[in-house]
Amino acid sequence: MTTAIDIDIGGTFTDCYIARGEESVWCKARTTAYDLSVCTLQAIEEGAAKLDLSVEQLLAETGIVRYSSTIAMNKLIQRNGPKVALITTHGFEDTILIGRCSQWADGLPFKTTRNIARMKRPEPLVDREMVVGVAERVDSTGEVIYPLDEARFLEQLRGLVDRGARSFVVSLLWSFMNPVHEQRIKELILEEYGDAYLGSMPVFLSSEVSPRIFEYPRTMMTLLNGYLHQAMYHELMGIAEEFRERAYRKPLMMVHNTGGMASVLKTSAVNTFNGGPVAGVMGSYHLAPLYGYKNVISADMGGTSFDIGMVAEGSTRFYQFQPVIDTWTVDATILDVRSIGAGGGSIIQVNPLLGNQLTVGPESAGSNPGPACYDQGGDLPTVTDADLVLGYLNPDTFHGGRLTLDCDLARKAVAEKVAGPLGVPVEEAALLAKRVIDGTMGGEIYKETVLKGFDPRDFILFALGGAGPVHATGFAEAAQLETVVVFPYSSTFCAFGSSTMDIVHLYEKSLHLHLIDLNGRTFDDFATFNAVVDALIERGRQDFRGEGVDPDKAEWQLELDMKFGGQLNTSRTISPVLHLDGEGDVAALYKAFEADYAAAYSAMGLTPEAGVEIENFVIRATVRMPKPAARTRPLGDADPSAARTGTRPAYWRDIGWHETDIYDRERLAPGNSFEGPALIEASDTTIVVEPGWSFLLDEYGNGLIRRTGAGGRSPAQQG
């Protein structure tokens, strides 16, 4: 029997999905920020209990544990990392302070950037006194033109240690072409301050973390890694220690924002950003074929954020190659997931300076104090408070009955802060807040699809997160989507998503080559091209061996950042061949680049007469992992009366208060269907079926919510 455990550690809840043979269970636990091993084990204990096993029995038969986490993001937001020293080339000490033209606004919401008069540049992660420039120089071809002054560097090193350095980041000019000076600096640091002295302090080299051109994003990528490394190490090693005490000796795998996973020991801190939402996209990619759909929007609404991912034309094709992490542009390949401040904890406000305009978010009440109805000291109205006022949530069964909601506190907060200033009844104020947040999320989905060249009506929506099924029909309508799918494990979908992921490593190397020059001559230096590819593959083989994975099982894919001559921006193309061995391979590579470029920018932008240049090599190494199989049950009677538990007054648009049918999610059977309005209660979420929508439990046990009048077509037929 194969058993796998998948964990998603969020800021508020820790989700667990356990697949044991053909059986699967899922559960949630409150995240214990003081020690993540506590909430991890609490979630596993609850899952083990559902399987009638002890934690020790479960771990003994488990073959793999995978998890995603927001540790890195939370630590960066709190700005409580160690004191980091930055070592760079003399004359470039102010690179991270100068930044790039857009640095003052990178990562900040529009609401902030439009108030230019009060804008402040981001506070640097490293103090200027902790930045030193060493005497050395390597040119753009990798030739050493000024050797490293080791004696001077050792003096600078002692000064950094005296000023409290606890981590070293080394980012020298053109080191990705020749890392000899970075490597020597690391040797000198470890020789000078080994285990016997202050303890071996971590040293991070840009030539290892991000061997790519452009010193600012490369330096910031390495700096973020150094800033976050120790927090990640202590948190994750604490979890590993708890597992080892329970005799677990198998791999601990970490979800990467590239769309794959790798061993914790082969994971850089910056690769874990957005790991949970990325797992959600990969889970959506795995399940989309069930419905014959090539286009899927994954929409994850949690307590604080709303995360949007896309599967388009059967592919997770959208990546960011210079993403912004917090307020810093870095060099990394990250699966594109768009996030906005919209969730159950989003605060509802009325702005008297704008004619009593009602806004929802991006500010959040978080988990402490949380919404007013949590009765933890918060008095600001939130989306969860509005949902409770509208009658959509059961105050006695929220979070499986472990958190009782106070309706009176919710009504009081909405009445005082929203209904009163607007001069409307409290339920109308709550409904208005719901429509605003739904419109915001739906508008974001609409923009995300249209601006990438797609019609949102060609997509199916997967409603994820604890609050996703509550608001799905609202933001689906705003985005012009016809069909919503909710899963039994929607609230823990990101944990499920990691169970569908493969082991993936990315290896990059910047090298400028002309595939076609200005005279129309095609590339023929195949030895140089293939040597770069082979070196990256060998790095991958070494890493797989270190993880205990047979490198012969790996699939190798070459991706190239290419551009037409005279352009600044590159486009990433999957090479049809791994090596170039003749003019035919060169022609095939150009044809693939031309097709990708034309699809993104139109064929009118093709300018082969200006030449074609290669800027960066990427090897994607993949080892396929077993995927959970979808199980079906025969469709039965449409009558859902066996699952009906009663009624509850709920407030609906255009209807007002209405005695609404309540169904138990666990008692619904495949084939059961009904028209909205209706409420479906589960232990971890509530599915809200608004008027004008219908619900059907399909053969996979998933809920299909369709707009009434969509013709009763299946999603596959609609596609």
Side-chain angles (χ1 to χ4, degrees):
M1 180 184 299
T2 302
T3 301
I5 299 176
D6 293 274
I7 302 289
D8 178 35
I9 304 174
T12 305
F13 288 102
T14 293
D15 301 338
C16 177
Y17 182 90
I18 302 173
R20 184 174 184 252
E22 295 188 355
E23 187 177 9
S24 57
V25 297
W26 49 90
C27 54
K28 302 173 77 74
R30 295 288 290 271
T31 295
T32 51
Y34 62 89
D35 186 348
L36 297 183
S37 66
V38 174
C39 57
T40 299
L41 286 173
Q42 287 176 346
I44 293 175
E45 285 171 2
E46 184 175 338
K50 290 184 176 182
L51 294 169
D52 293 324
L53 297 172
S54 67
V55 173
E56 288 73 17
Q57 289 173 322
L58 177 62
L59 289 176
E61 67 178 41
T62 297
I64 189 171
V65 175
R66 296 167 285 222
Y67 53 95
S68 55
S69 170
T70 60
I71 299 171
M73 184 176 294
N74 294 340
K75 293 297 180 183
L76 188 55
I77 291 172
Q78 295 164 11
R79 293 292 195 272
N80 59 1
K83 201 165 190 177
V84 179
L86 173 61
I87 301 163
T88 188
T89 300
H90 178 66
F92 291 81
E93 294 90 342
D94 293 321
T95 294
I96 63 168
L97 302 178
I98 297 171
R100 306 197 308 178
C101 292
S102 64
Q103 186 201 21
W104 67 277
D106 281 345
L108 298 178
F110 174 73
K111 195 174 180 180
T112 302
T113 58
R114 69 183 178 183
N115 193 356
I116 297 177
R118 297 188 179 183
M119 280 294 301
K120 294 182 180 179
R121 293 180 69 86
E123 289 294 325
L125 292 177
V126 56
D127 296 334
R128 180 60 180 83
E129 65 172 9
M130 300 303 293
V131 182
V132 299
V134 297
E136 68 85 37
R137 196 61 184 265
V138 173
D139 69 10
S140 61
T141 67
E143 181 180 350
V144 176
I145 58 177
Y146 191 94
L148 174 67
D149 187 336
E150 296 186 8
R152 180 182 172 188
F153 167 67
L154 287 174
E155 293 179 6
Q156 295 171 311
L157 176 62
R158 296 182 188 108
L160 291 172
V161 174
D162 290 342
R163 291 192 289 274
R166 298 303 302 162
S167 178
F168 296 98
V169 169
V170 188
S171 182
L172 306 181
L173 208 64
W174 298 105
S175 61
F176 64 91
M177 293 297 298
N178 185 352
V180 60
H181 288 166
E182 286 194 353
Q183 292 169 349
R184 181 55 184 156
I185 286 174
K186 182 175 182 177
E187 291 174 356
L188 291 171
I189 293 173
L190 297 180
E191 289 172 3
E192 192 76 5
Y193 297 103
D195 294 338
Y197 191 57
L198 295 176
S200 182
M201 290 182 280
V203 183
F204 302 92
L205 307 183
S206 70
S207 56
E208 294 176 352
V209 175
S210 180
R212 294 171 63 175
I213 196 171
F214 304 127
E215 61 266 23
Y216 172 70
R218 172 164 53 89
T219 300
M220 287 310 308
M221 178 80 165
T222 315
L223 184 58
L224 282 168
N225 204 58
Y227 187 80
L228 299 170
H229 170 80
Q230 292 186 39
M232 286 285 294
Y233 175 82
H234 291 303
E235 295 284 9
L236 298 180
M237 287 306 104
I239 295 174
E241 191 77 24
E242 292 289 344
F243 280 21
R244 280 194 295 271
E245 288 182 4
R246 288 161 174 78
Y248 179 77
R249 300 288 185 268
K250 300 294 177 55
L252 288 175
M253 309 297 287
M254 193 80 190
V255 172
H256 287 195
N257 44 33
T258 58
M261 61 179 177
S263 164
V264 168
L265 298 178
K266 298 295 181 182
T267 295
S268 298
V270 289
N271 288 334
T272 68
F273 270 85
N274 262 7
V278 165
V281 176
M282 298 308 295
S284 299
Y285 169 73
H286 173 71
L287 292 176
L290 293 181
Y291 298 99
Y293 247 59
K294 293 184 177 180
N295 298 330
V296 174
I297 295 289
S298 65
D300 188 330
M301 183 180 180
T304 303
S305 65
F306 181 65
D307 305 312
I308 305 168
M310 285 180 63
V311 178
E313 297 177 348
S315 170
T316 54
R317 57 191 291 183
F318 299 107
Y319 286 84
Q320 299 180 59
F321 303 118
Q322 280 199 344
V324 174
I325 293 180
D326 196 84
T327 58
W328 317 106
T329 300
V330 300
D331 257 332
T333 300
I334 295 178
L335 195 65
D336 191 13
V337 178
R338 197 68 60 192
S339 298
I340 62 172
S346 294
I347 296 172
I348 308 167
Q349 302 179 70
V350 175
N351 191 335
L353 300 179
L354 295 176
N356 278 350
Q357 181 186 39
L358 188 145
T359 60
V360 185
E363 297 83 1
S364 174
S367 59
N368 189 9
C373 60
Y374 278 19
D375 194 16
Q376 295 179 162
D379 61 356
L380 297 177
T382 67
V383 172
T384 298
D385 293 308
D387 291 338
L388 188 59
V389 168
L390 293 170
Y392 300 161
L393 303 181
N394 187 331
D396 299 322
T397 61
F398 190 79
H399 187 37
R402 284 169 287 182
L403 181 60
T404 302
L405 304 182
D406 191 315
C407 297
D408 293 335
L409 290 178
R411 290 187 65 86
K412 179 181 178 183
V414 174
E416 292 181 354
K417 301 293 197 305
V418 185
L422 293 178
V424 299
V426 65
E427 55 270 14
E428 278 295 327
L431 183 62
L432 179 58
K434 178 188 182 303
R435 295 185 64 182
V436 168
I437 192 72
D438 288 350
T440 299
M441 295 185 290
E444 200 67 25
I445 292 173
Y446 186 87
K447 287 190 297 183
E448 191 69 8
T449 49
V450 170
L451 293 179
K452 288 179 176 174
F454 296 94
D455 186 334
R457 292 170 297 184
D458 293 334
F459 284 75
I460 190 171
L461 175 70
F462 286 0
L464 316 177
V470 180
H471 287 261
T473 51
F475 59 72
E477 183 175 344
Q480 300 184 14
L481 299 168
E482 299 288 341
T483 303
V484 177
V485 182
V486 291
F487 303 92
Y489 41 83
S490 272
S491 70
T492 58
F493 191 89
C494 291
F496 162 81
S498 64
S499 72
T500 70
M501 299 174 73
D502 298 314
I503 299 175
V504 177
H505 292 285
L506 293 185
Y507 302 95
E508 304 191 31
K509 172 73 174 179
S510 286
L511 181 65
H512 184 262
L513 299 173
H514 286 273
L515 188 71
I516 303 174
D517 66 18
L518 288 171
N519 296 316
R521 290 191 296 266
T522 57
F523 182 75
D524 61 3
D525 188 2
F526 304 134
T528 297
F529 184 99
N530 294 336
V532 175
V533 173
D534 290 338
L536 295 176
I537 289 176
E538 181 54 33
R539 284 177 55 193
R541 293 183 69 86
Q542 291 177 4
D543 281 349
F544 282 131
R545 283 191 287 265
E547 289 179 302
V549 176
D550 183 358
D552 291 334
K553 294 182 178 179
E555 300 172 10
W556 309 93
Q557 178 177 284
L558 173 62
E559 302 174 6
L560 297 166
D561 292 337
M562 303 172 66
K563 65 179 183 178
F564 286 109
Q567 294 188 348
L568 293 176
N569 298 319
T570 61
S571 176
R572 182 159 296 185
T573 293
I574 298 175
S575 173
V577 292
L578 199 56
H579 297 88
L580 296 185
D581 295 315
E583 291 185 4
D585 292 338
V586 175
L589 175 56
Y590 172 73
K591 187 176 181 180
F593 166 66
E594 184 183 73
D596 287 344
Y597 191 92
Y601 303 108
S602 93
M604 296 181 65
L606 301 176
T607 56
E609 62 275 9
V612 178
E613 303 170 16
I614 298 172
E615 294 285 356
N616 193 53
F617 288 69
V618 181
I619 285 291
R620 181 182 294 270
T622 304
V623 173
R624 302 293 177 187
M625 300 295 290
K627 308 292 191 298
R631 293 182 295 276
T632 63
R633 290 187 294 167
L635 294 176
D637 192 353
D639 182 11
S641 58
R644 186 175 176 275
T645 59
T647 63
R648 180 168 69 242
Y651 196 82
W652 306 99
R653 184 180 64 186
D654 300 330
I655 295 179
W657 286 109
H658 177 75
E659 201 66 29
T660 304
D661 287 335
I662 311 295
Y663 296 94
D664 184 344
R665 176 65 177 79
E666 297 298 320
R667 289 159 58 181
L668 285 171
N672 287 174
S673 64
F674 46 84
E675 302 287 324
L679 301 170
I680 306 168
E681 295 182 346
S683 62
D684 51 2
T685 190
T686 298
I687 303 169
V688 175
V689 184
E690 295 192 46
W693 294 77
S694 65
F695 178 90
L696 166 70
L697 194 72
D698 70 8
E699 64 268 33
Y700 299 103
N702 304 322
L704 299 184
I705 309 175
R706 299 192 185 97
R707 279 197 195 187
T708 303
R713 296 174 297 163
S714 71
Q717 291 170 326
Q718 290 179 28

